[in-house]
Amino acid sequence: MESSLLTFKKNISKECQVPRIGTSLSPSEPKKHLIVGTKPKIPDLNLEPPSDSEEEGKDASDDVPKLLYEVEVEIFARVSCFEYWKLHFLNKQFSQLLKSGEIFKVKRERGLVKPYVLMLTSGDPCWTMIDKSFENFRKLPEIPSDFCFFSCDKETISAGTQLLVVGKEVESIVVWRYELEMHKWTKGPAMITPRVMYGSASRGTDAFFAGGIKFCEKGNPEVCTEAEKYNADTKTWTMIHGMHKRRKFSSGCFLRGKFYVIGGRDENGKNLTCGESYDEVKNSWTLIPDMLKDITFKSSQSPPLIAVVNDNLYLLESSSNELRVYDVNENAWKKLGIVPVKANAAKGWGVAFKSIGDRLLVIGTSPLPRSYIKRMAVYTCRPSPNVEEQVWEETENCCDGVQLSNFIHNCCVMFA
């Protein structure tokens, strides 16, 4: 299997002059189709299975195409996502294999998925996809939307191998969907209750959304309680039970099997210290009073910066740059030292605080710039709730060859 993969890579690098990792593919660039070996016949899985009489007349060699197909899937399931665009340059059958989603299905079943960071930084019209080490990157195509969408705030979340970006166009609130298999953006499907400034979190191929600001028939904004779920496999939205509180500018996460929505502001603009947890089995919400009672609030601050690692909920306190961990039983937060970024520079805005595997990831402006130019700093740590000061490791020379602003507009983590 490894030799087949090596042969595949050698053929690509030798015979096809294609962009390196770290460059963007655009639809206008010419594609060079190659024929590598013979084309194995990929079976049509939609056909009815043959009858017993047909099976008796088959030769053992008839199973070879199916075997080749399964081997190909197993090989490519072990290849980095940054290499997948090359499949489109091989031949139509390999391109169809990628578009079928079978590779990513096998990745999930074999436990081969890896985290990728997707970011939109200030001044950049395109999202950037970066691997866990922050060494390799890839620019996504530009979203074919209008000027209103690009000038307004947007929110981002991943569901399976899809990146969902929600924002407001001239006519309405829209959802743009980037599919990793297709390497392109598609509009829709729209939310059942279109809204912005909601709390959200993803789990596998599902993404949950709650609260936010919706617009009434007359165009007036309204803070809502509605919640819904998106499924990436079916590309459909489903309404779920609404929350107890109206809230906007809240944050969401999955903690111990439940969808949590934390903080935010109510319809009067008052900061909410309560949280809510959603039980999908019961389709009901539980209100958690005073969940953020010890947290300092400032006017116009960002939604709570939260992340979950090993079923522990962590919060980056933007006013003090402190890391805290939540005690579910005591409904209280414990301090875990200072985080090495300037989260308080813009009241929490412009900072990315995410979980990436068993680590916490924070991206922002370094508190100790090495020059007068502000630079993007990337730090990770393996958090421990029982240690007062965490050990943060800086990622040196991250994303060499790409200029990224130190101010992060959107950031999410995709497992693919």
Side-chain angles (χ1 to χ4, degrees), residues 91 99 116 141 148-149 187 198 255 259 269 305 326 333 352 395:
N91 53 43
K99 294 176 182 178
Y116 294 87
C148 182
F149 185 84
K187 184 185 289 189
Y198 45 75
L255 178 65
F259 172 43
L305 300 173
Y326 181 63
W333 295 87
T395 300

Side-chain angles (χ1 to χ4, degrees), residues 283-317:
N283 191 25
S284 63
W285 292 84
T286 300
L287 189 65
I288 309 173
D290 298 324
M291 191 173 181
L292 297 176
K293 61 182 178 181
D294 299 326
I295 306 301
T296 301
F297 293 98
K298 291 186 177 181
S299 60
S300 303
Q301 74 176 45
S302 72
L305 300 173
I306 59 175
V308 176
V309 174
N310 296 329
D311 257 349
N312 287 309
L313 174 61
Y314 295 90
L315 178 142
L316 171 51
E317 229 271 36

Side-chain angles (χ1 to χ4, degrees), residues 193-369:
T193 304
R195 83 286 294 278
V196 292
M197 304 305 176
Y198 45 75
S200 64
S202 60
R203 182 193 59 194
T205 57
D206 291 328
F208 291 72
F209 303 75
I213 301 174
K214 66 180 182 179
F215 292 88
C216 303
E217 294 182 358
K218 296 182 179 180
N220 297 321
E222 178 184 336
V223 181
C224 62
T225 62
E226 285 92 337
E228 52 191 291
K229 178 178 72 171
Y230 174 79
N231 180 264
D233 291 334
T234 61
K235 299 181 178 67
T236 57
W237 295 87
T238 304
M239 291 298 297
I240 61 178
H241 201 279
M243 295 186 295
H244 295 279
K245 296 280 188 180
R246 296 176 183 266
R247 61 180 79 219
K248 59 182 179 179
F249 294 101
S250 59
S251 294
C253 68
F254 264 91
L255 178 65
R256 305 185 183 185
K258 295 182 179 180
F259 172 43
Y260 278 71
V261 178
I262 301 169
R265 305 172 208 161
D266 63 13
E267 63 271 30
N268 299 313
K270 180 182 177 182
N271 289 315
L272 294 169
T273 60
C274 62
E276 301 189 40
S277 64
Y278 173 72
D279 188 320
E280 189 172 11
V281 176
K282 298 179 180 179
N283 191 25
S284 63
W285 292 84
T286 300
L287 189 65
I288 309 173
D290 298 324
M291 191 173 181
L292 297 176
K293 61 182 178 181
D294 299 326
I295 306 301
T296 301
F297 293 98
K298 291 186 177 181
S299 60
S300 303
Q301 74 176 45
S302 72
L305 300 173
I306 59 175
V308 176
V309 174
N310 296 329
D311 257 349
N312 287 309
L313 174 61
Y314 295 90
L315 178 142
L316 171 51
E317 229 271 36
S318 59
S319 63
S320 61
N321 292 333
E322 286 183 327
L323 179 67
R324 302 195 183 192
V325 63
Y326 181 63
D327 188 324
V328 176
N329 297 323
E330 297 294 331
N331 191 28
W333 295 87
K334 177 184 176 182
K335 297 181 180 181
L336 298 177
I338 300 299
V339 174
V341 295
K342 290 183 177 180
N344 60 347
K347 300 181 181 180
W349 299 103
V351 174
F353 182 67
K354 301 293 177 180
S355 60
I356 182 166
D358 61 349
R359 286 178 170 266
L360 284 174
L361 168 71
V362 61
I363 310 172
T365 304
S366 173
L368 297 173

Side-chain angles (χ1 to χ4, degrees), residues 86-260:
K86 296 178 182 178
L87 294 185
H88 294 291
F89 288 83
L90 292 177
N91 53 43
K92 186 177 294 185
Q93 287 176 316
F94 281 108
S95 180
Q96 291 175 345
L97 173 62
L98 180 61
K99 294 176 182 178
S100 71
E102 190 68 19
I103 293 175
F104 297 99
K105 179 182 178 181
V106 171
K107 270 181 172 284
R108 291 193 295 268
E109 292 175 349
R110 304 288 188 271
L112 300 172
V113 295
K114 295 181 179 180
Y116 294 87
V117 179
L118 295 117
M119 291 194 305
L120 178 67
T121 61
S122 179
D124 196 338
C126 301
W127 267 255
T128 303
M129 183 176 182
I130 310 169
D131 67 0
K132 183 179 179 180
S133 65
F134 272 75
E135 295 178 355
N136 299 315
F137 70 93
R138 180 186 187 187
K139 286 288 187 179
L140 304 189
E142 187 172 329
I143 298 177
S145 188
D146 60 29
F147 72 93
C148 182
F149 185 84
F150 286 106
S151 60
C152 294
D153 290 333
K154 295 170 284 293
E155 292 162 275
T156 308
I157 193 171
S158 67
T161 55
Q162 297 177 18
L163 172 64
L164 304 180
V165 181
V166 181
K168 192 176 187 307
E169 292 184 340
V170 173
E171 297 295 331
S172 62
I173 295 173
V174 298
V175 179
W176 280 97
R177 183 182 77 251
Y178 170 79
E179 297 183 38
L180 189 58
E181 300 92 333
M182 307 294 291
H183 186 54
K184 69 176 184 179
W185 293 94
T186 305
K187 184 185 289 189
M191 289 178 166
I192 299 173
T193 304
R195 83 286 294 278
V196 292
M197 304 305 176
Y198 45 75
S200 64
S202 60
R203 182 193 59 194
T205 57
D206 291 328
F208 291 72
F209 303 75
I213 301 174
K214 66 180 182 179
F215 292 88
C216 303
E217 294 182 358
K218 296 182 179 180
N220 297 321
E222 178 184 336
V223 181
C224 62
T225 62
E226 285 92 337
E228 52 191 291
K229 178 178 72 171
Y230 174 79
N231 180 264
D233 291 334
T234 61
K235 299 181 178 67
T236 57
W237 295 87
T238 304
M239 291 298 297
I240 61 178
H241 201 279
M243 295 186 295
H244 295 279
K245 296 280 188 180
R246 296 176 183 266
R247 61 180 79 219
K248 59 182 179 179
F249 294 101
S250 59
S251 294
C253 68
F254 264 91
L255 178 65
R256 305 185 183 185
K258 295 182 179 180
F259 172 43
Y260 278 71

Side-chain angles (χ1 to χ4, degrees), residues 380-394:
T380 62
C381 79
R382 285 193 174 89
S384 174
N386 302 316
V387 177
E388 293 184 0
E389 290 286 343
Q390 306 300 304
V391 178
W392 293 90
E393 301 174 10
E394 184 176 7

